Amino acid sequence: MPLNRRKFILNHAALATALLPLGATVRAKAVYASGLSEVFKDDFFLGTAISNKTLSGSDPAMFKLIAQEFNTITAENAMKWQSIHPDHERWDWRLADRFVKFGHEANMLMIGHTLIWHKQTPPTVFFKSRKKQDALISRDLLLKRLRLHVQTVIDRYKRQIALWDVVNEAVTDKGRWRESHWYDIMGEEFLEQAFRAAREADPSAHLMYNDFNMEKRQKQRFIIHILNILRKRGVTVDGVGLQCHVSLAANAPSIDALEAAIINFAKAGLRVHITELDVDVLPNAWKYKGLHIDDLPIDSDPLDPYKNGLPARIEQQLAERYQALFELFIKHRDKIARVSLWGTSDDESWKNDRPVIGRTNHPLLFDTQKRSKKAYDAIYNLKVKRAP
Ligand code: G3I
């Protein structure tokens, strides 16, 4: 029977129990979900991403904070192809197993991220020779590898993980297929084959397509179009992930554009997941992508202005931006299954190293000392505001 979506939307406890390994007992810790996720418990699940650093065990305080504030987790990197399946015959489950163990113990809804992506996938997946990366393998061989990977990963975790980002970022902002080794070798078929393989591995899973800049209309239309084609061919995609890497400085995307995206995807019959929310406070530096901040050919200070902390004015703007986003999510709570932040505290955010390495960003709800920020209070207080 297909996963009853309402089961995880309305009754997390029931889903968690349904996913327990056979014979296991519920060992949820008393500390779980007493913080922010409690505020939104009648609206949507509230989650965060767990870094490899945390999963490696070097930061026990982070586990505690996550268990207290969130009820949903995504592995930031630990379940990606290059981490979990670094070579044809080699699987490395260590960090992913820890992710699942923590998720189980803290009674978290767990998201499997991500099965098929053009990034963080070893080149050996696509090329004939390990040394010479000039000849791509055949469509049949890549399909075999795709199916083996997707089915092995889902099979290992299907008792604990019911929600999967099956394909990540296959479409450009202009609404075309992204050029990638997947596309070069298999053409558009790779999307369908990935969802087919996932559905076969776990017929009751909640399967999602995940991408960024989902507010761009051409991208939206194209994604809805290709997911409709899949549906006609009998391959159901249950949900769509709007990553939501938001920029404070550029004031983008606008709340209106994001709202239109939520409405359009929901109208297309897809559950909406906000999958990777963060709010970048730094100036645009894409021109210097990949460079270290100390190696810029210009004065770096204007591109890294908050090394010593956020000025009160920007802290306030950040809080207002988070508040506006959550007001929007609450308004569309009937369409949104989950809102996940892309990390917990500012020190661990990928935004400190993208596009320029070594900057100091402040995109999340907790600062580098794991203290809640004004943005946290702004969201938390929405509960008070909504009280009768
Ligand atoms: O752990 C190594 C470290 O040992 C090494 O010294 C260092 C040197 O470069 O690299 C470290 O690994 C980095 C890893 O993040 C952990 O910090 C990788 O280089 C870096 O590529 C990797 O970046 C990840 C990125 O995906 C890769 O594209 C980010 O953490 C992760 O947040 C980001 O997540 C993606 C989502 O999966 C999909 N949507 C976009 C999102 C942001 O790019």
Side-chain angles (χ1 to χ4, degrees):
M1 189 179 76
L3 176 72
N4 179 349
R5 292 178 198 148
R6 275 170 305 183
K7 193 154 84 179
F8 82 81
I9 294 157
L10 299 175
N11 194 346
H12 176 207
L15 179 75
T17 306
L19 294 170
L20 282 176
L22 288 176
T25 50
V26 180
R27 287 179 291 129
K29 287 179 183 163
V31 287
Y32 78 85
S34 56
L36 204 54
S37 60
E38 197 54 20
V39 174
F40 300 102
K41 70 178 191 315
D42 298 326
D43 302 307
F44 35 71
F45 286 99
L46 188 74
T48 189
I50 306 194
S51 67
N52 280 357
K53 187 179 151 211
T54 300
L55 291 171
S56 303
S58 56
D59 191 0
M62 183 61 90
F63 276 128
K64 196 165 172 242
L65 181 62
I66 291 172
Q68 181 184 301
E69 298 293 339
F70 301 101
N71 55 21
T72 305
I73 48 170
T74 310
E76 185 185 10
N77 287 303
M79 298 187 85
K80 291 171 179 171
W81 194 313
Q82 110 187 335
S83 311
I84 218 168
H85 189 184
D87 211 340
H88 298 312
E89 304 297 328
R90 196 152 70 83
W91 296 84
D92 184 347
W93 304 106
R94 285 171 295 181
L95 293 183
D97 281 358
R98 275 188 217 162
F99 167 80
V100 165
K101 182 172 183 284
F102 167 69
H104 175 59
E105 288 178 356
N107 201 19
M108 294 277 170
L109 185 69
M110 291 178 249
I111 315 297
H113 173 86
T114 176
L115 294 166
I116 299 295
W117 194 19
H118 60 283
K119 290 188 180 167
Q120 288 178 286
T121 304
T124 47
V125 171
F126 306 107
F127 291 97
K128 281 186 182 158
S129 151
R130 207 171 276 274
K131 288 194 187 129
K132 278 184 74 189
Q133 294 184 0
D134 49 5
L136 292 167
I137 61 169
S138 68
R139 172 260 180 206
D140 288 358
L141 183 54
L142 188 58
L143 174 58
K144 207 170 144 201
R145 289 182 179 168
L146 174 155
R147 289 180 60 80
L148 176 76
H149 179 81
V150 168
Q151 299 196 326
T152 306
V153 177
I154 294 187
D155 208 50
R156 184 176 181 91
Y157 294 120
K158 67 182 174 190
R159 289 193 184 284
Q160 293 90 11
I161 300 182
L163 292 84
W164 293 94
D165 286 338
V166 178
V167 176
N168 206 27
E169 302 172 7
V171 173
T172 67
D173 288 358
K174 296 252 181 259
R176 301 199 187 102
W177 288 100
R178 177 183 299 285
E179 296 291 333
S180 70
H181 294 324
W182 289 111
Y183 186 72
D184 290 346
I185 299 172
M186 292 182 69
E188 49 190 80
E189 182 198 14
F190 86 89
L191 182 86
E192 177 177 338
Q193 294 292 0
F195 279 98
R196 259 189 209 288
R199 184 61 74 205
E200 281 169 36
D202 185 358
S204 66
H206 182 89
L207 304 182
M208 296 173 282
Y209 172 79
N210 187 45
D211 214 326
F212 58 87
N213 290 349
M214 294 289 254
E215 68 286 351
K216 307 258 183 215
R217 292 307 291 262
Q218 290 163 305
K219 189 167 198 168
Q220 243 169 69
R221 282 197 205 105
F222 188 72
I223 290 168
I224 290 171
H225 169 67
I226 57 180
L227 297 187
N228 276 338
I229 292 177
L230 256 57
R231 194 178 289 150
K232 282 189 193 129
R233 293 185 186 150
V235 186
T236 317
V237 178
D238 302 291
V240 72
L242 280 58
Q243 293 183 5
C244 273
H245 296 296
V246 171
S247 162
L248 184 68
N251 196 25
S254 72
I255 294 291
D256 286 352
L258 206 47
E259 179 166 34
I262 293 167
I263 292 171
N264 290 339
F265 283 118
K267 267 193 198 151
L270 295 154
R271 288 299 288 168
V272 173
H273 296 250
I274 306 298
T275 53
E276 304 181 13
L277 178 63
D278 49 25
V279 181
D280 189 334
V281 300
L282 295 180
N284 187 322
W286 283 96
K287 192 173 164 193
Y288 303 107
K289 184 180 169 204
L291 293 182
H292 194 281
I293 186 71
D294 295 338
D295 299 332
L296 299 191
I298 52 156
D299 173 13
S300 63
D301 284 349
L303 288 182
D304 193 16
Y306 310 129
K307 290 188 280 272
N308 302 318
L310 272 187
R313 182 177 56 89
I314 309 294
E315 186 85 51
Q316 181 60 28
Q317 283 175 17
L318 181 70
E320 286 167 11
R321 186 71 174 161
Y322 264 109
Q323 181 174 328
L325 287 162
F326 272 78
E327 281 169 348
L328 176 70
F329 302 151
I330 291 166
K331 181 175 171 192
H332 294 288
R333 61 202 280 274
D334 59 325
K335 306 170 189 65
I336 296 177
R338 163 182 58 111
V339 176
S340 290
L341 279 292
W342 202 239
T344 303
S345 60
D346 287 337
D347 49 312
E348 64 168 10
S349 171
W350 70 294
K351 287 283 180 186
N352 293 312
D353 290 318
R354 296 288 185 287
V356 166
I357 300 164
R359 293 199 296 175
T360 304
N361 214 321
H362 303 261
L364 297 167
L365 298 179
F366 296 86
D367 68 14
T368 55
Q369 305 304 308
K370 300 188 177 62
R371 291 174 304 217
S372 59
K373 292 159 62 177
K374 229 181 180 155
Y376 176 102
D377 298 341
I379 299 173
Y380 198 95
N381 289 337
L382 287 173
K383 182 185 190 178
V384 180
K385 284 191 188 150
R386 284 195 294 158

